[in-house]
DNA sequence: TCAAAAGTGTTCGATATACACCCATGC
DNA sequence: GCATGGGTGTATATCGAACACTTTTGA
């Protein structure tokens, strides 16, 4: 007997990281406005004639209003039973169409400035930043996807350290950058050595502006200079 | 109008690297025994109730006879026109079934000792190691997949350097290891510094055996000690 | 004795780590 | 004036890069 080949729907799911003073957060969407707990990763089935990268860009655009977000595909999740829980099947029936018997997904990682105003004309009526340590139980295998995304963000930043600036405001203090690195690598980093390292980066430029109304010595702001970074990379 | 969601077949394609004295090679399969040029990456549609990782393992087992090959998923290729050339559609009709209008694939990277005897009871009547610099034009987007696999193998080995030993015989010389590194990174590496680095690795153990019948000073053999490597990694 | 590859040591500079003190500000 | 976080400098260790000569063997 000839084996039966899978014929299936395909979705994308996006893990969008944001950073605030308390650490890393992930952008989740609420399916049911009346259920405070019902959060999941933003995602969508992909259309006919649509590449997965385009689908991820579409989801992120609807979510944030940003046309071309920095994103990175990191894994296809295709376990046959990833969409086999009855409540997940029910939701697929309602949201998309009945009889979706299997669904494989391609997971994307993206980075977003957390202070950016999010789009609210999208199909996602409610979105929220959820601290990484407080991610609730989510449908499908979304918890596993988030877990793997953490390894992936480290790999990504090791490969291209300039990615971290996607997570910071345009003007940031060295202390913020320091906390961000500590959050990503989950370890303490000596602030004095960190200072030295950052100020040695030709693409992190010192601004004249300093903090105001803080009850301690005001910190200086810095910005990331993309052109200087390109020049720097070219010399590597 | 409701958008139409993709409903599609899914395949896996495997880029299997091997290494000989002339450099890196990739294992390709011949579709048509009478056509010397008709090479492609080994792959398969995935079955109902089969995960993509399992499908890749299945393909690799049929190809090599090895039950659990080291493998790594590295990207989903889903361009809508990746299977739109008429000769590719014709082949899909014949090999699988008619009217496969779209096909997305999940690409895997794997490493294999090139001197290993390959399985020849598989559906792949003819397989051959093809030097990386002589890869022919292949169907679908297989050439692009190979191209991206090269970046991926570097990332993989940076992340876990012990992977390189999957590409070498059980007993190898430092010179072989050196040539392997040079092939992967496509640059010259000072042999004296390299020697120092390798002999400092507690998990590369020196054997008593040396080369025979070589017309120059005989090189010493070394082997990779997995247990020592695990201990070493645990202390990191 | 020659060709061909194996094997060995030293120096230097760059980078990472460890560590301690003074500075500016609001309360 | 004190609590809070910002900012600087020095000493040491570690790692990688550059670099030249001797050894062994078969032909």
């Amino acid at each position: 007997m000839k084996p039966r080949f899978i014929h299936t729907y395909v979705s994308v799911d996006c893990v969008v990281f944001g950073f605030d003073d308390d650490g890393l957060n992930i952008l989740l969407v609420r399916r049911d406005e009346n259920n405070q707990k019902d959060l999941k990763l933003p995602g969508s089935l992909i259309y006919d004639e649509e590449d997965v990268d385009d689908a991820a860009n579409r989801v992120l655009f609807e979510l944030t209003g940003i046309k071309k977000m920095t994103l990175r595909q990191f894994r296809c999740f295709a376990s046959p039973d990833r969409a086999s829980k009855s409540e997940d099947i029910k939701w697929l029936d309602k949201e998309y169409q009945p009889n979706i018997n299997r669904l494989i997904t391609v997971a994307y990682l993206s980075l977003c400035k957390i202070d950016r105003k999010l789009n609210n004309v999208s199909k996602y009526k409610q979105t929220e930043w959820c601290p990484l340590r407080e991610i609730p139980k989510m449908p499908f295998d979304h918890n596993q996807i988030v877990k793997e995304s953490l390894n992936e963000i480290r790999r990504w930043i090791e490969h291209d350290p300039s990615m971290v600036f996607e997570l910071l405001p345009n003007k940031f203090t060295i202390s913020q950058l320091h906390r961000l690195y500590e959050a990503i690598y989950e370890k303490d980093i000596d602030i004095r050595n960190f200072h030295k390292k950052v100020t040695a980066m030709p693409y992190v430029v010192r601004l004249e502006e300093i903090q105001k109304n803080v009850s301690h010595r005001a910190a200086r702001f810095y910005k990331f200079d993309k052109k200087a970074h390109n020049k720097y990379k070219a010399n590597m």
Side-chain angles (χ1 to χ4, degrees), chain A residues 86-181:
Chain A
S86 69
E87 65 264 34
D88 293 340
I89 291 172
K90 259 184 230 159
W91 179 77
L92 287 174
D93 278 4
K94 184 167 139 276
E95 179 76 9
Y96 294 108
Q97 59 198 67
N99 302 318
I100 292 186
N101 60 334
R102 190 169 168 194
L103 178 57
I104 77 172
T105 199
V106 179
Y108 280 80
L109 191 49
S110 184
L111 308 173
C112 182
K113 299 184 201 305
I114 206 168
D115 55 358
R116 173 175 259 286
K117 184 153 172 37
L118 296 177
N119 202 6
N120 47 15
V121 297
S122 78
K123 70 172 183 180
Y124 302 110
K125 295 290 194 314
Q126 294 191 30
T127 61
E128 67 182 68
W129 287 107
C130 181
L132 194 56
R133 301 282 152 235
E134 297 165 24
I135 303 282
K137 190 160 169 4
M138 294 184 292
F140 305 106
D141 47 6
H142 287 190
N143 288 89
Q144 195 198 340
I145 294 174
V146 167
K147 199 173 157 198
E148 298 206 12
S149 73
L150 246 180
N151 295 325
E152 197 57 31
I153 197 178
R154 289 190 194 127
R155 276 176 62 110
W156 196 6
I157 283 167
E158 264 162 46
H159 187 254
D160 183 357
S162 73
M163 282 299 113
V164 295
F165 301 106
E166 305 269 340
L167 289 166
L168 291 173
N170 288 331
K171 292 184 294 191
F172 54 86
T173 66
I174 289 184
S175 172
Q176 280 178 301
L177 184 56
H178 179 239
R179 278 193 298 271
L180 174 53
Y181 264 95

Side-chain angles (χ1 to χ4, degrees), chain A residues 9 30 37 40 49 85 92 161 216:
Chain A
Y9 293 93
R30 193 181 305 289
K37 292 267 170 87
K40 68 182 278 287
E49 301 297 314
K85 277 178 287 182
L92 287 174
H216 52 75

Side-chain angles (χ1 to χ4, degrees), chain A residues 202-205 225-233:
Chain A
Y203 47 85
V204 176
V205 308
D225 184 332
K226 205 165 168 53
K227 278 186 192 164
H229 183 255
N230 289 340
K231 207 180 281 180
Y232 172 81
K233 270 208 301 193

Side-chain angles (χ1 to χ4, degrees), chain A residues 3 15 33 39 53-54 56 69 74-75 100-101 128 135 155 158 169 174 188 192 194 205-206 211 218 231 235-236:
Chain A
V15 183
E33 292 176 46
L39 292 162
D53 284 9
D54 297 331
M69 282 195 71
F74 75 94
R75 212 192 117 180
I100 292 186
N101 60 334
E128 67 182 68
I135 303 282
R155 276 176 62 110
E158 264 162 46
I174 289 184
D188 294 340
R192 295 164 290 189
F194 189 78
V205 308
R206 168 191 156 120
Q211 285 179 325
K231 207 180 281 180
N235 290 336
M236 289 280 111

Side-chain angles (χ1 to χ4, degrees), chain A residues 28-33 35-39 126 128:
Chain A
L28 300 181
V29 299
R30 193 181 305 289
R31 291 189 294 191
D32 177 354
E33 292 176 46
N35 183 343
Q36 280 301 309
K37 292 267 170 87
D38 193 39
L39 292 162
Q126 294 191 30
E128 67 182 68

